Structure formats: structure tokens, C-alpha cells
Amino acid sequence: MNKSRVKQKTKEFFSSVYSGPIIAILVIGLFLTIFSPQFLKVSNFVNISNQIAINIIIAVGMTILITSGGIDLSVGANVALTGVIIALYFRAMPEGGSPLVGILIGLGIGALLGLINGVVVAYLKAPPFITTLGTMGVYRGFALVLSGGRPLMGINENFVHIFSGFIGAMPRQFLIALLFTGMGAFILNRTSVGRIAQCMGGNERTLRVSGIPVELYKILMYMITGILAALAGMVLTSMMAVAEPIAGQFYELDAVAVVVMGGTLLQGGKGTVFGTLLGAILLGVMRNGLNMLGVPANYQQLFVGLIIMIAVISGSRRKSPAQL
Amino acid sequence: MTLQKSILGRTWDRYRGVIISLLVINVFFSFTSRYYFTVYNIFNILDHSSISLILSIGMVFVLASGGIDLSVGSTLAFTGIVAALLFTAGVPTLIAMLLAILVGMLIGLLNGLIISHYKLQPFIVTLAMLSIVRGLALVFSGGNPIIGLPTGFLKFFAGNSLLGNGIFIAVGMTVLAAFVLEKTAFGTYVKALGGGEEAAFLVGVKTSRIKICVYIISGFCAVWASFIFMAGMDAAEPIAGLTTEWMEAIAAPIIGGNSMDGGKAYVLGAVFGVLVLSCIKSGLNMMGVGQHYQQIAIGTVIVAAVILDSLRRKL
Amino acid sequence: MNKLVEMISLKKNFGGIKALQQVDLTINSGEVHGLLGENGAGKSTLMRILCGLEVPDEGVIRIEGAEAEIQKPSDAQSLGVGMIPQELILVDGMTVYENIFLGYEIRNTLGLLDQMRMRSRARELLQSLGSGDIDPDSFVGLLPKAEQQIVAIARRIIQGGKVFVMDEPTSALTEKETEKLFSIIRKICDAGNAVVFISHRLEEVLEICDCFTILRDGKNVASLRNIPEITKKDLIAHMIGNDIDEEFPHTVTTPGDTLLEVEDISFMTSQGRRVEHVGFTVCAGEVVGITGLVGVGKTELAQTIMGLRKNSGGRILIKGKEQHIGSPVKAVKNGLGYVTEDRRGEGLVLGLKSLYNMTLGALSRIVRVMVIKLSREKKLGLEYSSQLNMKPEYINMEAQKLSGGNQQKVVVIRQMMGDSEVILFDEPTKGIDVGAKAEIARLISSLSSEHKGICIFSSEPREILGVSDRIYVLNNQGFVGPFRRGELDYKKLMAIEFGDTNAAGVGV
């Protein structure tokens, strides 16, 4: 009796969408443990979790957005612009300003940037990827202009403490990332917003015919992504204690990569936030591995690109329902 | 009943928006700086346009087929690095150039194969390729520019005079592209892919082959753009084409009336689009506007162009 | 006269549905061959096989005496067989001559396109078709439908067409344009080719066709020559047969208040025709049936009422108050619900669980502060699915995995869960087996006994007759009705659909 149950559970595991990333993490982890003595140390894991925290925050928003059939390539620029504006605020206030206000400003900026993206895509019916490609340039430009092209220091100390540092042995930013992963998963699976996102990606016409205001929800999706990207920007600014206008470059690629690796379909309709978390861990472990093995930083971009390509191609094998 | 309008008349009809914009821009900038409307600056604009133009011409093919190629900037950088490495390794100039061209076409071939065989969206495939090729550029160059390009090469592309050969190559390719698109069956099929793939398929047109070809063309163009860029910089840079060139390659054709849906192959439109962007850049430079503001401007122009295109499609 | 096409003993199944069961068809050169039958009789499947869009399970096809393997469209093309489908499949952004010569371009000695010759040849060809006024340089997308059709025909001629299969060619044409089309068809046939004419417009079929093949339920029922004695009634009789074996349960409810009033609205069909002066009412507790031939505009009418299509005239009143329904959001807010015809395309999110598809219309019932109460959702799903005899395990399955009948149940349940007071059903039992049909009919009845107003749009006359309390017909002369339940029988209804309004003894 027990044997067949074990068999069934194993079958379920392997056919689930999570099996891929989990197996990959274990295999690579095993490989690295053998070939690199530094890998299996607590300090290394802390390091990895530190590095992937920002990616996770952005990718959670991106997961919901891609599930709804959209995409946002301006998130990296959003990260930079939010950081710059918050830094300007802190510098402008005589006493260094209030961290709470800083957070509110940051969230507001994120919402605004997302709103702009959303309005253009939803009401002007412009294709998401090229639109956000354009807004990426605009937002990045503003980051450069407002900062004069230079990094900005003078970030409020309390603000820095909110987002960085440690709670026990865990880095704060990673815990924040986990928190938002949980929230994101909840939103996607347990709320009406998440349900509508899944429908939008699967068959927008059905939503329309059912009398649901599709455009408004589309804008909401972009705003969620924008807010989370801004949050990531705040975390980054805290971690570095400086706001760089050139920050966030290629963050959008990393976000798309881990979303796709985690099993969310690029065409939309099926999304998993937990999968994205796994994907982020996998990417983090891979990057960490490359570092441990002494592979120069130059190879990393090549690497991420190959990952995206492989993930996208293998994702196409799991055909979306519309193609059946 | 439509009266057969003269060619000039029809050109005006189709491009009047962008032609007027071009005039307005030039008039505006000639007032803001007295150096703008000089022979020197005009040649400057033309010279700098050559790179964008070549990239845009390749993009016209891709857009007409209903696709898009985001990897052209990276291909530009990588093939430049490849050529430079070959140059400095002592490989004869022409052979090195040929190999670089093959590499560019190979990248295009890969793009086309993956898109047509796995039936994936062009933007994500070329986005991933952008990353891969950029990575290759970084790896092969070690992250640093490569100098020491052969003098013959530099002389040919950058030239001594005000106007390098770059612009002539660009114009030549433009004319060739227009010819192919208008006068060959291949050109018709490219447009059919974008405008009515089903119709083309039903009459037996080999749609996947055509798709692969347009991406090869795009890669081919990227290499030539790379040669001109390198000659201008006197070095091969791994970060070439990273900032705005690849976005301009998409924005220019769309400004000129090409559509992301495909079906249209307005080569002259791409030319006008490139001129619009180049004039804006030059004018802003003359006004002392920093590079950063320019980026905002270009990004805004792209968004505006895309909005325009989608509105056009609605009507 | 020789046999151009022989289709012998063709069989084709789609899943469990027997689309063709041993169908034969012979097409001779020089003839206009009418292919008739109700929806689902197998006409389009048969032609799709001939043109290479489907492969038969069994059977032989001979073209000009030689056995032919037709696996894809280009195989059929090279043998001279091609279809001009209802949607025409032209490249809108290209010119007339470019479309005509697509894939068959004329080249000069250098291998380049010889546009001058293509233009003049196109002009000649159009001239010979009596349409010399079509400019070869004009863009196909801008031409009126009738001219686009002529371009499509010209394209087939250039492709070396010997057999022209035309699917509902006259549905978007005026009388004059139809006459022109007929003269072109005659020219084509005089040259030794053949035309297969598929249409529901029986007067036209009688006018142009030399002979008919009539299919019913995937089988041949008649092969007739067109002689003067044959009338529409004869054709209809062959098409419908005598086996009305479908039971549609119906309960009578006393109609209550008028929930929906449609007054004099007009709209454009998807083929570009304008339909005007449509008006009817739906009261609580009654089932109103709106029927007509395929393509007449029923779906578009439903879409106009739901705000998915522009209403270019007239008013819509909900419970006596005029409402401007500009979007489906407004429609739903006003208590209208819509069960679409295209289940897979519009009605369902195929990759989602059926349960989630069901609750889409009733999120407010299972949501509190944006959070979905999963237990409540499940409960609701089980409740409703048992009402419809749907196995409980189906609610957790992805919608695409269900059978057509169950899929329809899911969509209907969505409406039931919602707060709609007036529900529009578009082709509710299309493509569903007999057993499920009866269930859906029962369901519609029970919805009406809950004092909802039901409006059914259907091209299946038996369904309309079985389920409706009142019937309206949309035909080529306008919007006719209402007819009370029992006033019409099958023959009378079909006659009215075909435009013969005197059949029931009622005027327009």
C-alpha cells in the first residue's frame, strides 16, 4: 500500500511545474558542494539571499503582470528613478526628512510610473513590450536628469535601517522579499484581482463579455508591478545607502528570466508566484556558483540570456490552451 | 474610382506627417542655434544617421513581416568585437570583415529559426538573444574596448573628409532594400507575412523560410552598422549600440509609417524617421541639452510613435 | 463534359462526432453544383477535405479521373481545386493585382517582378469578368465586399482553378451584385470549369445551379438535376427530412413585467451589411426565440444589445427605463447576461478550472474584501453543477478538457450564478449531443420559471420551436414576428427564414 502511495506522490511531484526548478537547484547545489568548499556555508547562503532579494520583489509583480498577459520592461528604470527621487527628498529636507514620507513618496512614484504604462497599454491599445521599452528610456532619462548623472548620497539613516540590516541571521531585505512573495501568491490565487489576472491572460474576451471592466484591471496590474519595482528601488537604495541613476540596468531581464524559469507562461493565463521564488533562488545559486568557480563577471550576462532562451523554448513545449 | 496620382503626389500623401515634422523640427532648431543650419552640421547629421539608417533598413524587413528584432544593438557590438579581434590577430581585413558578416547573419539565422520553429513571439526571443549576444561581446572583449583597427578599414568607413563612406553605404543599402521589397517576389512575400500570413500560406508560400530570411537580413545590416560605428569610434566597444541605437532602429521605421503589425515596408518612411531622430539629437546637442535629456526625448518619441501606430491601426 | 471531381465514400470523424458518413459527390466540368444542407450536415467538412484543409478518415478522391492525395491546401491548388471561403482570405494591405498574383507572380527575364504586365493582365481579367472598373492598384482592404469577392475569384483563375468552391458567396451582396456574380460564375463554367455553390439562399440556388447534392447528418440524401418543377419546398423537404426526434422539454410560465424592450435598433453585421428596424420585448418568465439563417446577423444583434457592438439607431429599455448600453460593463450592471456562441473563443478561459470559469460572473458572491472564500466557491460550484447533472469532479478540471456539452453547462452556470435578469443565449446547443441538448433546454425552462427573461438566438429551428414562448425571425426582408408558441411548425418556420413570409399567412 505504502509503495504505491509513494509512487503516486513521486509522479505528482515530477509532473508539477515546480519539479524543474527544484531538481535543478538540488543538482547544481550538489555540484557546487563538491567543487567549491565555500558553497555550503551559512555566510554564502546569506550572501545569495541578499543578492536575490531585489530580484524577487520585482519578479513577484512581474509574475502577476505576465499572468495577465502583459509585460513591463521599464522596471529597472523605475528602480533607479524611485531611488533618485527619494534621495532628492531626503537631501532637500533640513532634518533629513521622515522615512515614512520617503516610503510613501516611493510607493507613489511606483504607482504613477505603473499608471502611465497601464493607461497607454490599456486605453491606447499599444503593445506592452514596446511601450514599456519606450517608457524605460523615459524613466531612465528622468533618473539621469534629476540626479545630474551622479550618484546621490545623504539617504535618511532610519530609512536605511528599515530595509537593510539583519533580523537574527537573515537579511532584512530577503525577509521583505519573502513577505511580498507570500502577499503576491495570495493576491494571485486567493483574490478576485488575481483571478481576473488569470482570466485576462487566458481569454480577455471572456472577461469583457462578463461585464468586467478589463481596462481598469489592466491598469491595476501595471500599477502593482510599478509599486513593487519602486519598493525594490527603495530596498536597493537602502542597501547601498546611495541612489544611483544607472541602477537597475537589466533588472527587467532578470525578472522576466526568473518568472519564466519558475513556470509562469509568457503568453499569460497561468502563473505561479512560488515558482518565481524558486526561479529566483535557482538563478541566484547559479550566479553564486559562477562566482565561486571563478568565472568572470562578464559571463554573467551571457548566462542570463541563455537561461531566458532555454526557459522560453521549453515553456513553449507546454502549449498554452489557446493553441490546442 | 481612384485617379492615378503622380508618384510625388502619393509620396506626399503617405509621408506628409513626417515630412512636416521634419520641416518643423529643422526650423525650430535653426532658430535656437546658429550652428544648426550649417553645411558642417548637415553633413554631421547625415554621417551620424548612417548607422541608424542601416539598422532601420534591416528592421523594415522584420517589421513588414510582422516581427521585431531587439537584438540588433547587441549584434552590432558583438560583430564589432569579432572583427576587431580578427583584425588585431593579423587576419586580412577583408576576410575578417567577411567572417564578422557571417557571424551577424548567423545570429539572425538563430533568431529566425527559434521564432519560426518553436512558434514563439519575436520580442521575447530577440530579447533573450540580445542578452546572449551582449554577453558574448563582453566575454570576447573582456569588457574592454579593442583598439588598433587597420588604417585601410578606418579610412574607408570614416574617411578623411567631412562625410565618411558610411552614408553612401547606408544609402546604397537603402536603395537595394527598396528595390528588393518592391521588385522581387521575396519582397511581396515578406509583406504578405505581415499583412496576411494565412493567405500566403494557402497559396503555398514558404512562410517559415521567409521569416528566417528577414532576421538574417537584420543581422546582416547590424554588421555593416557596426563597421561604420567602429570606424567612427576608432575602437570596438562591447557596450556599443546599448543606449539608444537599437531603440532608434525600431522607432524610426514606425515614425515613418511602418507598422508593428506588419504588411507595410516603407523604406522611405524609415529614412524620414531616421532623419527626424537625428535632427532632434543634433538640435538638442546644439542647445547644450545633456545626453540624459536626450534619452528622455528619444524614449518619449518611441512611446509617441508606438501610440501613433496603434491609433493608426484602429482607424 | 467530364468528371472533374469524384469524392467516393468519404468518412470523417471529429472526436466522437461523425461529420461525414460515406458521402459521395461528383462534379462535372461546366456545371454549377449546389451543395445544400442544414448546419452540421457536413457541407463545409466535405469541402474542407476537397481543398486540403482536412484529411478524410476513409474514402477516395479522384481529380479528372486520377486518384489524388490531398494533404494540404497547396496539393489541392496544384490540381486546380480551391476554395473561396466566406471570409475571402485576401491580404487587405496589398493591391488588387498583388493579391490576384500572390504566389503566382509574373516575372521578367531578370527574375524581377513585372508589375506592368501583372497590372495589365489583372485589368484584362477583371474586364472579362465584367468588372473592368476595379482599379488593379487600389488596396483590397478599401474595396466593398462584392469587389473583394471578384478579386478572390480572379485570384483563383490565375491559380489555374478548375474547381471553384464558393462558400456563402452572396451573403453580403445586394441583388445587383449577386446578378453580376452569377454572370461571372456562368462565364467560368462556360470555359469548362466547375463551381460548387454552397448557400442557404434557396432562390439563388435555384437560379444559378445546374444540379444539387443535398446532405443531412453527414449522409447523402439527394442528388438532383435542376429542372423547372423543383421548388424551394422540395429542397427544404430533402434538407430537413422527417425525423424530428429531438425532445425539448418546456414549461409554461405566466409572463411578468417587461424586462427588456428593444426598439428599432440597427447595426452592422460582421459581413458589412446593415440590419435595421429590429424591435422586440422580453418579459420575466418567458423565453423569446430569435432565429434566422446562418449569417443573417443574430449574433451581432445579441452583441449590440450587450454593448459589444455599436447600436446605430433606436433605443434599448431595461424595465421601462431607457439605457445607453455602450459597453458590456453597463449591460451587466443593468442585469443583462450573455452566453456566447463561441464557447472556446469567448465563453471560456480554457486553461482555467471549470469552477473558476463558473464563478467569473458572480465574484461578488464569493468575495469579501477582495478575498475569495474558496470553500464558498466550491460549495456554490457543486450546488449548481448538480442541478445540471454535471459530475462533481468536473468542476476542478480545466475547461478545455470537458466535452462540448459540459463546457456549455459551465457557461450557463456562470449566468445562473450571476444576478442577470435577462439572459441572452447565443446558439446554446450548437455542437452538443442530443442528451445534453435536452438538459440545456430543461435548464432554460427552469430559468424562465424563476422569472428571468430568456432570449435565445439560434439557427436551429427545432430548438427554437421546442423552447420558445414567442418567436421572431430575422430574414433578408427584415425582422418578422412575434409568433406565439404553436403558431409555426418546422416547415412554416423554415419558409419564413428563407424569406417566404406568406407561408405562415402573416405579412411582414
Side-chain angles (χ1 to χ4, degrees):
Chain A
M1 240 342 153
N2 248 344
K3 246 194 187 173
S4 63
R5 273 217 78 193
V6 169
K7 246 190 162 181
Q8 202 205 5
K9 284 290 179 187
T10 337
K11 222 175 147 209
E12 272 177 32
F13 171 72
F14 273 103
S15 57
S16 100
V17 76
Y18 304 130
S19 59
I22 292 181
I23 295 177
I25 293 175
L26 292 173
V27 166
I28 295 180
L30 186 63
F31 179 76
L32 289 174
T33 316
I34 299 176
F35 286 96
S36 172
Q38 307 290 352
F39 179 70
L40 215 52
K41 285 198 179 159
V42 172
S43 57
N44 192 35
F45 287 154
V46 168
N47 204 8
I48 296 179
S49 58
N50 225 355
Q51 288 172 344
I52 62 178
I54 292 184
N55 180 224
I56 293 175
I57 297 175
I58 300 177
V60 166
M62 193 72 87
T63 308
I64 299 179
L65 182 61
I66 290 182
T67 305
S68 77
I71 194 163
D72 184 353
L73 297 176
S74 68
V75 284
N78 182 324
V79 163
L81 184 54
T82 307
V84 163
I85 292 181
I86 294 181
L88 288 175
Y89 159 72
F90 286 136
R91 286 156 68 105
M93 302 304 287
E95 242 101 283
S98 131
L100 185 60
V101 175
I103 294 177
L104 289 175
I105 293 180
L107 295 178
I109 299 289
L112 175 65
L113 299 184
L115 178 67
I116 296 174
N117 282 331
V119 166
V120 175
V121 170
Y123 282 114
L124 298 173
K125 310 269 189 276
F129 76 88
I130 195 83
T131 304
T132 54
L133 214 55
T135 54
M136 170 172 94
V138 176
Y139 299 163
R140 175 76 60 189
F142 271 105
L144 289 166
V145 162
L146 293 174
S147 64
R150 291 167 291 117
L152 297 175
M153 313 247 241
I155 314 291
N156 181 306
E157 292 217 351
N158 295 323
F159 179 82
V160 168
H161 284 149
I162 295 178
F163 291 112
S164 58
F166 287 80
I167 296 183
M170 292 302 278
R172 229 174 249 248
Q173 49 268 45
F174 188 65
L175 292 172
I176 294 177
L178 287 181
L179 173 67
F180 279 94
T181 304
M183 282 172 63
F186 186 77
I187 292 179
L188 190 58
N189 295 317
R190 297 290 306 270
T191 66
S192 51
V193 173
R195 186 65 64 78
I196 290 177
Q198 291 176 45
C199 291
M200 223 191 281
N203 190 344
E204 207 178 285
R205 283 287 286 178
T206 306
L207 282 182
R208 212 177 283 275
V209 153
S210 303
I212 291 175
V214 173
E215 280 78 23
L216 292 180
Y217 277 96
K218 260 196 191 162
I219 295 179
L220 180 62
M221 307 292 164
Y222 281 94
M223 285 177 71
I224 292 176
T225 308
I227 291 174
L228 283 171
L231 185 70
M234 293 194 268
V235 171
L236 181 64
T237 310
S238 300
M239 276 170 71
M240 305 281 153
V242 72
E244 301 230 31
I246 58 169
Q249 243 179 23
F250 303 127
Y251 280 19
E252 58 283 333
L253 289 178
D254 283 358
V256 172
V258 303
V259 168
V260 176
M261 282 203 290
T264 300
L265 287 181
L266 208 56
Q267 316 89 305
K270 278 211 195 302
T272 157
V273 174
F274 181 61
T276 301
L277 176 65
L278 289 177
I281 294 176
L282 179 57
L283 187 64
V285 168
M286 284 201 248
R287 275 216 167 102
N288 181 260
L290 288 179
N291 273 329
M292 298 259 115
L293 295 174
V295 174
N298 286 327
Y299 282 78
Q300 300 228 350
Q301 169 133 60
L302 169 60
F303 196 60
V304 174
L306 283 170
I307 302 280
I308 299 183
M309 190 67 94
I310 294 173
V312 162
I313 290 178
S314 56
S316 80
R317 303 292 190 80
R318 283 167 57 231
K319 282 195 203 285
S320 76
Q323 286 172 287
L324 284 165
Chain B
M1 282 274 270
T2 50
L3 293 163
Q4 255 311 30
K5 279 191 168 175
S6 68
I7 296 184
L8 212 58
R10 281 185 295 169
T11 308
W12 173 251
D13 271 343
R14 189 185 279 180
Y15 296 122
R16 56 169 167 228
V18 71
I19 292 178
I20 293 178
S21 311
L22 204 53
L23 288 172
V24 166
I25 291 170
N26 276 292
V27 166
F28 174 72
F29 283 130
S30 58
F31 279 117
T32 60
S33 165
R34 53 200 173 98
Y35 297 111
Y36 183 83
F37 221 64
T38 59
V39 174
Y40 175 80
N41 195 38
I42 293 177
F43 275 18
N44 209 9
I45 293 177
L46 289 177
D47 203 26
H48 282 216
S49 301
S50 52
I51 296 169
S52 284
L53 182 56
I54 296 179
L55 290 177
S56 300
I57 294 301
M59 196 65 75
V60 168
F61 280 88
V62 176
L63 286 175
S65 77
I68 194 162
D69 188 351
L70 300 177
S71 64
V72 288
S74 308
T75 307
L76 188 156
F78 180 56
T79 51
I81 299 286
V82 166
L85 287 175
L86 291 172
F87 289 150
T88 52
V91 174
T93 311
L94 283 177
I95 309 255
M97 281 171 63
L98 186 63
L99 288 174
I101 291 174
L102 284 176
V103 168
M105 289 170 72
L106 182 66
I107 295 174
L109 175 66
L110 284 173
N111 271 329
L113 272 175
I114 297 176
I115 290 173
S116 67
H117 186 254
Y118 293 105
K119 304 209 196 311
L120 293 169
Q121 290 164 302
F123 98 84
I124 191 68
V125 172
T126 54
L127 185 65
M129 191 62 83
L130 173 159
S131 214
I132 294 174
V133 175
R134 177 74 54 189
L136 286 173
L138 284 172
V139 166
F140 276 59
S141 67
N144 302 309
I146 302 179
I147 53 172
L149 305 176
T151 35
F153 178 85
L154 292 172
K155 249 187 140 183
F156 178 74
F157 284 103
N160 291 322
S161 62
L162 213 47
L163 211 54
N165 280 324
I167 190 66
F168 297 118
I169 297 176
V171 169
M173 288 178 89
T174 305
V175 170
L176 184 63
F179 184 74
V180 166
L181 284 166
E182 287 304 305
K183 278 282 173 188
T184 64
F186 173 74
T188 309
Y189 297 156
V190 169
K191 288 185 273 190
L193 263 191
E197 193 171 331
E198 203 185 348
F201 176 71
L202 287 176
V203 294
V205 170
K206 295 192 172 57
T207 46
S208 34
R209 209 171 281 188
I210 310 270
K211 257 191 207 167
I212 295 175
C213 279
V214 296
Y215 288 97
I216 295 180
I217 291 176
S218 178
F220 178 79
C221 290
V223 186
W224 285 94
S226 173
F227 290 159
I228 299 175
F229 185 84
M230 278 202 291
M233 292 269 131
D234 222 338
E237 304 240 17
I239 56 166
L242 177 63
T243 34
T244 51
E245 280 82 358
W246 61 287
M247 293 200 277
E248 288 175 41
I250 299 171
I254 294 186
I255 293 173
N258 290 284
S259 169
M260 294 216 289
D261 268 346
K264 300 192 194 155
Y266 296 165
V267 173
L268 191 54
V271 174
F272 285 136
V274 168
L275 286 175
V276 164
L277 290 173
S278 298
C279 288
I280 292 179
K281 278 199 291 189
S282 169
L284 290 179
N285 265 331
M286 298 256 132
M287 280 171 68
V289 171
Q291 279 280 35
H292 309 321
Y293 282 101
Q294 288 191 32
Q295 194 164 6
I296 300 182
I298 301 288
T300 317
V301 169
I302 293 177
V303 178
V306 167
I307 294 177
L308 203 72
D309 181 42
S310 80
L311 289 176
R312 249 188 254 141
R313 280 184 276 152
K314 264 170 130 183
L315 293 170
Chain C
M1 194 166 90
N2 61 326
K3 295 196 180 127
L4 277 181
V5 173
E6 284 167 271
M7 300 177 87
I8 304 171
S9 290
L10 285 176
K11 274 206 181 110
K12 178 74 183 173
N13 284 340
F14 288 112
I17 303 177
K18 298 198 179 80
L20 294 177
Q21 309 175 46
Q22 291 233 294
V23 175
D24 299 316
L25 179 69
T26 302
I27 304 172
N28 297 308
S29 64
E31 77 181 7
V32 182
H33 198 119
L35 187 57
L36 308 175
E38 287 188 287
N39 298 327
K43 308 184 299 293
S44 48
T45 309
L46 189 64
M47 287 301 105
R48 283 172 69 84
I49 289 176
L50 181 61
C51 298
L53 291 162
E54 303 278 358
V55 178
D57 297 328
E58 274 177 48
V60 171
I61 301 179
R62 288 206 196 104
I63 310 279
E64 289 188 288
E67 200 163 313
E69 271 283 325
I70 303 182
Q71 302 275 344
K72 47 190 194 310
S74 38
D75 292 339
Q77 292 251 18
S78 53
L79 292 166
V81 175
M83 191 178 337
I84 300 177
Q86 217 173 347
E87 321 83 51
L88 295 181
I89 309 193
L90 295 167
V91 185
D92 282 342
M94 284 192 182
T95 62
V96 166
Y97 79 85
E98 284 173 332
N99 266 285
I100 293 178
F101 285 97
L102 187 66
Y104 292 78
E105 285 84 7
I106 301 179
R107 299 174 210 215
N108 60 19
T109 40
L110 293 170
L112 301 172
L113 298 178
D114 192 341
Q115 276 132 347
M116 291 226 357
R117 250 209 265 155
M118 285 197 279
R119 274 201 193 95
S120 63
R121 181 85 186 83
R123 213 168 276 136
E124 260 171 47
L125 184 56
L126 291 168
Q127 186 86 302
S128 75
L129 293 175
S131 305
D133 55 329
I134 301 181
D135 181 5
D137 278 303
S138 45
F139 287 102
V140 162
L142 299 173
L143 293 177
K145 205 59 189 265
E147 290 183 4
Q148 286 181 348
Q149 196 163 49
I150 296 176
V151 171
I153 295 176
R155 183 179 58 179
R156 279 256 63 235
I157 294 177
I158 292 294
Q159 290 166 354
K162 296 205 191 87
V163 178
F164 294 63
V165 178
M166 295 192 191
D167 192 357
E168 298 286 352
T170 56
S171 49
L173 301 184
T174 63
E175 265 188 60
K176 260 188 92 179
E177 291 165 343
T178 304
E179 283 310 313
K180 189 168 198 174
L181 178 65
F182 284 178
S183 68
I184 294 176
I185 291 178
R186 283 193 204 97
K187 282 204 184 92
I188 292 174
C189 289
D190 288 340
N193 304 308
V195 169
V196 178
F197 194 84
I198 303 176
S199 174
H200 281 290
R201 299 200 171 177
L202 297 181
E203 314 89 0
E204 294 169 5
V205 166
L206 281 167
E207 191 185 325
I208 188 69
C209 298
D210 298 314
C211 58
F212 315 107
T213 294
I214 305 177
L215 298 180
R216 201 198 320 144
D217 288 330
K219 300 193 202 112
N220 290 95
V221 288
S223 254
L224 311 165
R225 291 225 56 85
N226 189 2
I227 49 180
E229 289 78 41
I230 295 187
T231 65
K232 256 164 62 171
K233 286 203 168 65
D234 297 323
L235 294 177
I236 296 177
H238 281 293
M239 289 200 297
I240 68 176
N242 284 315
D243 47 359
I244 305 174
D245 55 356
E246 284 163 11
E247 272 282 318
F248 285 100
H250 175 87
T251 52
V252 182
T253 318
T254 335
D257 306 320
T258 305
L259 293 176
L260 171 68
E261 260 176 274
V262 175
E263 248 181 50
D264 202 22
I265 63 172
S266 42
F267 54 92
M268 296 279 276
T269 68
S270 52
Q271 290 151 353
R273 235 180 345 112
R274 224 183 137 65
V275 176
E276 296 182 322
H277 307 305
V278 174
F280 61 95
T281 58
V282 180
C283 302
E286 72 169 345
V287 179
V288 172
I290 298 185
T291 184
L293 300 171
V294 169
V296 77
K298 302 184 293 301
T299 299
E300 288 89 332
L301 173 56
Q303 286 174 342
T304 307
I305 299 173
M306 280 302 287
L308 287 161
R309 194 171 278 264
K310 193 157 176 284
N311 173 17
S312 26
R315 320 190 289 163
I316 296 177
L317 296 102
I318 313 273
K319 286 202 191 150
K321 272 177 70 176
E322 180 175 352
Q323 299 287 352
H324 177 61
I325 313 257
S327 77
V329 180
K330 266 308 257 327
V332 168
K333 270 213 189 100
N334 277 299
L336 295 178
Y338 185 31
V339 176
T340 56
E341 167 188 27
D342 185 8
R343 274 189 301 279
R344 291 182 79 88
E346 267 187 339
L348 291 172
V349 182
L350 293 168
L352 268 193
K353 278 193 207 175
S354 312
L355 178 60
Y356 296 169
N357 270 286
M358 289 175 197
T359 55
L360 206 51
L363 287 174
S364 50
R365 280 174 79 173
I366 54 174
V367 160
R368 196 180 306 167
V369 195
M370 292 223 301
V371 178
I372 300 177
K373 301 228 64 149
L374 292 175
S375 54
R376 180 143 174 67
E377 188 181 25
K378 198 163 176 196
K379 208 165 140 237
L380 225 56
L382 288 171
E383 215 182 282
Y384 281 96
S385 53
S386 69
Q387 267 188 48
L388 268 100
N389 291 333
M390 204 168 107
K391 293 204 187 116
E393 54 263 25
Y394 284 173
I395 64 172
N396 279 320
M397 282 174 65
E398 281 181 19
Q400 63 191 337
K401 296 206 172 107
L402 298 180
S403 68
N406 281 315
Q407 283 180 344
Q408 187 65 317
K409 287 182 189 176
V410 170
V411 183
V412 170
I413 291 177
R414 185 192 302 150
Q415 288 307 316
M416 288 164 75
M417 283 192 190
D419 293 323
S420 334
E421 292 181 320
V422 176
I423 306 179
L424 311 178
F425 284 88
D426 198 349
E427 306 283 358
T429 61
K430 178 166 145 186
I432 295 180
D433 61 273
V434 180
K437 271 195 217 261
E439 282 199 62
I440 304 250
R442 202 177 300 128
L443 180 67
I444 290 175
S445 259
S446 70
L447 281 172
S448 72
S449 46
E450 282 172 37
H451 295 286
K452 299 207 193 278
I454 312 285
C455 193
I456 303 203
F457 299 78
S458 170
S459 17
E460 284 195 40
R462 293 189 199 98
E463 176 178 46
I464 288 283
L465 287 166
V467 170
S468 319
D469 295 316
R470 283 187 298 134
I471 298 177
Y472 293 84
V473 182
L474 186 58
N475 62 18
N476 56 2
Q477 299 183 339
F479 195 67
V480 189
F483 302 98
R484 311 223 116 259
R485 185 181 177 77
E487 253 185 85
L488 297 174
D489 64 11
Y490 194 94
K491 284 211 174 103
K492 282 189 189 152
L493 178 58
M494 288 303 280
I496 298 176
E497 286 189 34
F498 282 109
D500 185 3
T501 41
N502 293 314
V506 289
V508 174

